[in-house]
Every structure is written in structure tokens, then in C-alpha cells.
Amino acid sequence: MQELKENYTIVIVTHNMQQAARASDYTAMMMLTNGESRSGTVIEFDETNIIFTRPKDKRTEDYVTGRFG
Amino acid sequence: MIRKTFENELQEVKDEILVLGSMVEEAILASVDALKKRDIEAAKNILKADRDINKKRFEIENKLMILIATQQPMAHDLRLLASSMEIISELERMGDYAKGIANINIRMGDQPLLKPLIDVPRMAQKGVDMLHRALTAFVKEDVEAAQSIPIEDDEVDALYNQVYRELMTFVISDPKSIERANWLLWVAHNLERVADRVTNICERTVFIATGELSEIKNSDDEFWKQQKS
């Protein structure tokens, strides 16, 4: 994957926080939102190291710290 | 471990840090009190208390390591655990300052104090008071308090400079007093450093709550500025 990313953009959809944190450069937090029929709403997108250390959105914070999901 | 249990563990870490903080506060005040009374036995008790402080610090460190390994904390939790590691190290060093003061007391033997201690106990009281409120701000993650406490370091620096000038007048009038003056200067220096380390704790509290890691106040700059004037 590290070699492939030199030439390709790889998107991994995962619930595994450790995998997301270890393998990616950027992370998008997506979730179903209440009252909307469309799934996969992007809640927050940033560099992986920011998402896992100081996310801006409380829902991202709650998810990466295991408060739900 | 489910989230609720982890929450309890995080709270326990905070509680344990408060216990360590109280041990350090007590040691600092006791070290100055023992010096004031020239009580060597009390000074020896502080050396023992320092061993207990070090032991407590290692206990908390071990607990933090286990939580990091087993919980793989993220975001706020990660900032709290990483900062707690830093804070217990700051507290342990403050305990060493109390030990340093106790050691000076012991080394002074039966020599009397060069002068009665007035500003030195004030420095200790002010530093401990700042430490106590800094730890309360840490537990509550109170950003406002954490940002305002370090400003009070100027008061401790001012007291230090007062002690410094006073001791210099003794040295100038009687060069034989240099050793005894140096002892007291070292005591005051230790207490001045306590307040500096309180600032570091406050910086970590702001980081835990906001994710912003920056210097609240460069106390050393202020300290040297006052030395020059």
C-alpha cells in the first residue's frame, strides 16, 4: 500500500480505528445522520494525525474515542 | 474494557494525580517550615516523603502505560493520558525541590540562618497555592483558570528578586556570610522553579481541553528581565 500510494489514491472504508490511523494520510469521518435518507454524510475530513488527536467535530471525537459505534 | 469502565479509569488517574499533588504541596510547605525552625528531624522526614512521592509517580506512570496499551486512546483521551505522563513528571520534580530544601537544612548543621525567613515562606505559600489551583483546573479541564494562573508567577519572581537583593547586601557587608547566603539563595531558587513548573501543568491542561499546545507565558524571560533591572 505504501508503494501503491506513490501513484494511486487509495480509499479504504473501515470501522477499524487502528487500521485507519496506521495506514492513511487523510481520514474522512462519515455517518448516517438523523432525518436524512442519504447515508455516508461526511462529518469531518482532515489529516489523519489531526482526526485522531484533536478532531473538531464532537461526533468524530465521540467515535474515535469509542463513545459510540 | 467498555467505555464506562474506561471513563472510570480516566477519573481514577485524575484522582491519583490529585493525591500526588497533595503529597508534593505538603512536602514543599514542610521543607520550608523545617528550615524556618531549623528542625533537622523534620527535614529527614521530608527525604522519606520524597521516596513516597517517587513511588506514587511510578505507580501512576505504570497505570497510564497499561491504559495506553490496552485502550489505544484517541483524541481527548490520548491528550489526557499523554499530558498526565508529563504532569506527574513535573510533580515529581517539584517534590525534588522540597527534598533539595530539606538537604540544605541538614547540611547547614547547627549553623543559624543568616536571616529570619520572611519572603521565603511567602514564596512557598504562593507556589503551593498556584499548584493547588492548577491541579483543580486540570481535573475540571478549566481553560480559563489554566491560562490565568501562570501570570501569578511574576509575584514569585518578584519575591525571589527581593530575597536575592537582600542576601547580596549581607554578602557585601560580610563576605564570610557567603556560604549561608548561598544556601538560602538556593532554597529561594528551588521555590521559584516550583511556580515555573505550575505553568507547565497549566499548559498541559489547555492542551487536554482544546488540543492547542503552546507556551502560556515564558516565565524564564520575565525572570531574567527582573534580574537585569
Side-chain angles (χ1 to χ4, degrees), chain B residues 55-196:
Chain B
K55 198 171 148 221
K56 185 84 192 158
R57 177 255 169 108
F58 287 136
E59 273 172 25
I60 301 173
E61 186 170 342
N62 191 43
K63 195 180 175 73
L64 288 168
M65 290 290 279
I66 291 168
L67 280 175
I68 290 167
T70 56
Q71 295 295 311
Q72 286 121 36
M74 297 289 187
H76 170 272
D77 302 336
L78 177 62
R79 297 198 300 271
L80 173 61
L81 294 182
S83 298
S84 295
M85 204 66 104
E86 176 75 19
I87 289 170
I88 57 171
S89 161
E90 296 289 351
L91 290 171
E92 193 261 328
R93 292 291 294 131
M94 287 190 214
D96 287 344
Y97 294 138
K99 182 175 78 171
I101 294 168
N103 271 326
I104 289 166
N105 195 359
I106 294 164
R107 279 184 61 182
M108 281 171 76
D110 51 14
Q111 292 199 57
L113 289 166
L114 183 60
K115 62 179 278 304
L117 298 184
I118 297 158
D119 288 327
V120 164
R122 280 186 193 143
M123 286 180 80
Q125 193 58 57
K126 182 69 195 171
V128 164
D129 177 53
M130 285 170 70
L131 172 60
H132 192 82
R133 284 180 292 122
L135 289 173
T136 305
F138 159 70
V139 169
K140 292 182 178 167
E141 299 186 14
D142 181 344
V143 176
E144 206 178 315
Q147 281 171 331
S148 68
I149 293 164
I151 297 162
E152 299 171 34
D153 179 47
D154 288 353
E155 291 173 44
V156 181
D157 287 348
L159 284 168
Y160 176 79
N161 286 316
Q162 207 162 300
V163 171
Y164 176 86
R165 278 192 280 269
E166 207 177 344
L167 289 172
M168 285 308 111
T169 58
F170 277 95
V171 171
I172 290 162
S173 61
D174 177 16
K176 284 201 290 294
S177 69
I178 195 160
E179 190 178 28
R180 287 195 295 159
N182 198 31
W183 279 329
L184 292 186
L185 193 59
W186 196 245
V187 169
H189 174 75
N190 277 3
L191 296 171
E192 189 270 326
R193 295 295 297 145
V194 166
D196 287 345

Side-chain angles (χ1 to χ4, degrees), chain A residues 2 15 19 22 24 31 33 39 42 47-49 51 61 69:
Chain A
Q2 293 302 317
H15 280 101
Q19 184 187 35
R22 202 167 42 233
S24 67
M31 63 186 287
T33 50
S39 60
V42 175
E47 288 174 32
T48 294
N49 59 17
I51 293 288
E61 169 89 32

Side-chain angles (χ1 to χ4, degrees), chain B residues 172-227:
Chain B
I172 290 162
S173 61
D174 177 16
K176 284 201 290 294
S177 69
I178 195 160
E179 190 178 28
R180 287 195 295 159
N182 198 31
W183 279 329
L184 292 186
L185 193 59
W186 196 245
V187 169
H189 174 75
N190 277 3
L191 296 171
E192 189 270 326
R193 295 295 297 145
V194 166
D196 287 345
R197 286 181 184 274
V198 168
T199 298
N200 296 343
I201 293 176
C202 290
E203 283 169 359
R204 295 291 150 178
T205 296
V206 174
F207 174 61
I208 294 164
T210 67
E212 294 298 320
L213 187 56
S214 61
E215 261 186 320
I216 297 175
K217 176 180 171 292
N218 193 329
S219 37
D220 281 348
D221 280 356
E222 189 59 35
F223 172 71
W224 290 109
K225 211 159 52 189
Q226 288 197 23
Q227 281 290 308

Side-chain angles (χ1 to χ4, degrees), chain A residues 5-69:
Chain A
K5 79 171 192 185
E6 299 296 324
N7 297 306
Y8 299 96
T9 299
I10 307 166
V11 178
I12 308 168
V13 180
T14 181
H15 280 101
N16 183 329
M17 291 300 98
Q18 271 62 50
Q19 184 187 35
R22 202 167 42 233
S24 67
D25 297 318
Y26 292 90
T27 300
M29 162 73 178
M30 294 185 284
M31 63 186 287
L32 288 163
T33 50
N34 288 337
E36 284 182 30
S37 56
R38 286 170 60 193
S39 60
T41 305
V42 175
I43 300 298
E44 186 172 355
F45 173 78
D46 215 321
E47 288 174 32
T48 294
N49 59 17
I50 291 177
I51 293 288
F52 287 99
T53 57
R54 44 182 201 282
K56 291 176 189 72
D57 194 290
K58 193 176 178 303
R59 291 166 295 180
T60 313
E61 169 89 32
D62 287 350
Y63 188 69
V64 299
T65 54
R67 285 181 172 80
F68 74 86

